[in-house]
Amino acid sequence: MNDEQLRAQLTGLHTALLCDVMDSLGFRDSSFGMHIRPMEPSQKLVGAAFTMRCEAVDKAPEKPYQHLLVAYEDLGDGDVIVLQCGDQVSAMWGELLSIAAIARGAVGAVMDGATRDVEQILQIGFPVFAAGFSPLDSAGRQEVVEHGAELRCGNATVRPGDWVVGDIMGVIVIPRQIVEQVVTLALAKDAQESTVRDELLHGEEIGVVFARHGIL
């Protein structure tokens, strides 16, 4: 499958189903954590990870946002920005960064810190998953220091190009090397769950259904 086919398939699969498949393959740390949530329940996120790591600072650097601006030059179509934030106080993300990301073809952002400009971002329809909201600017508090490298965002290790999927249940990462296998297995499991759902709706005993399919 090419990236567009993968994106289309992943968009139709929810994170719990994908996590079940990855658990079965031995990848048990796929979730970013319960604290990283969408701005609103309907938001959905599917794309390739574009990583940026921030560090805390105690004053504005001589050239603020220098590495952030460099990182944006490499941002491209279908990317999901994954931010390892430098603090849990200020907002590393906002409306203008969202607009600039859309212009570069990015499809969303995930961070283990805060965002701001919530109403404005919702109005433009850019999916943002964050640990919370803060009115405080990142200027003089945290700076992007690196992009395009492996990082830790929340509870998950993310590498550039890994697939990131987010929905109302949270955000997960799928290593690029197993994404096709995960999609294939998830589609099969989804079909099995549909069968189990139908049997339960028709009144069959849950123990009998579980014994038959091994799914609950």
Side-chain angles (χ1 to χ4, degrees), residues 90-111:
S90 63
M92 191 59 226
W93 198 258
E95 177 193 11
L96 299 183
L97 287 180
S98 297
I99 291 171
I102 292 170
R104 298 291 298 181
V107 296
V110 179
M111 61 213 67

Side-chain angles (χ1 to χ4, degrees), residues 28 62 70 79 99 103 117 119 126 138 140 149-150 153 166 204:
R28 298 182 60 83
E62 186 176 335
V70 170
D79 284 345
I99 291 171
D117 303 335
E119 291 181 64
F126 187 71
S138 63
E150 178 182 314
C153 186
E204 291 204 47

Side-chain angles (χ1 to χ4, degrees), residues 70-87:
V70 170
Y72 261 74
E73 294 176 5
D74 293 333
L75 190 61
D77 288 342
D79 284 345
V80 170
I81 297 157
V82 179
L83 278 164
Q84 178 182 333
C85 292
D87 71 32

Side-chain angles (χ1 to χ4, degrees), residues 23-198:
D23 279 354
S24 73
L25 296 174
F27 292 84
R28 298 182 60 83
D29 297 315
S30 55
S31 173
F32 283 51
M34 292 186 291
H35 61 300
I36 298 176
R37 313 300 306 162
M39 280 186 164
E40 62 179 7
S42 63
Q43 287 187 330
K44 179 81 176 184
L45 185 68
V46 178
F50 181 92
T51 59
M52 290 196 282
R53 184 174 63 84
C54 307
E55 289 183 356
V57 298
D58 56 11
K59 63 180 180 180
E62 186 176 335
K63 295 181 178 180
Y65 308 119
Q66 185 174 17
H67 203 110
L68 174 65
L69 300 176
V70 170
Y72 261 74
E73 294 176 5
D74 293 333
L75 190 61
D77 288 342
D79 284 345
V80 170
I81 297 157
V82 179
L83 278 164
Q84 178 182 333
C85 292
D87 71 32
Q88 296 295 303
V89 176
S90 63
M92 191 59 226
W93 198 258
E95 177 193 11
L96 299 183
L97 287 180
S98 297
I99 291 171
I102 292 170
R104 298 291 298 181
V107 296
V110 179
M111 61 213 67
D112 55 8
T115 185
R116 63 181 192 166
D117 303 335
V118 176
E119 291 181 64
Q120 294 88 344
I121 294 173
L122 288 173
Q123 286 174 1
I124 63 176
F126 187 71
V128 174
F129 287 64
F133 307 143
S134 172
L136 291 172
D137 191 4
S138 63
R141 295 184 173 94
Q142 57 176 318
E143 281 280 324
V144 174
V145 296
E146 181 181 39
H147 78 282
E150 178 182 314
L151 53 71
R152 189 83 175 168
C153 186
N155 299 334
T157 298
V158 184
R159 299 169 182 83
D162 285 349
W163 282 85
V164 178
V165 182
D167 58 25
I168 181 58
M169 288 175 284
V171 186
I172 65 168
V173 59
I174 307 173
R176 176 165 281 276
Q177 68 269 22
I178 65 164
V179 66
E180 288 198 36
Q181 182 182 15
V182 168
V183 166
T184 299
L185 293 174
L187 289 170
K189 190 173 192 295
D190 189 43
Q192 287 181 301
E193 288 190 354
S194 292
T195 299
V196 168
R197 187 181 304 112
D198 289 342

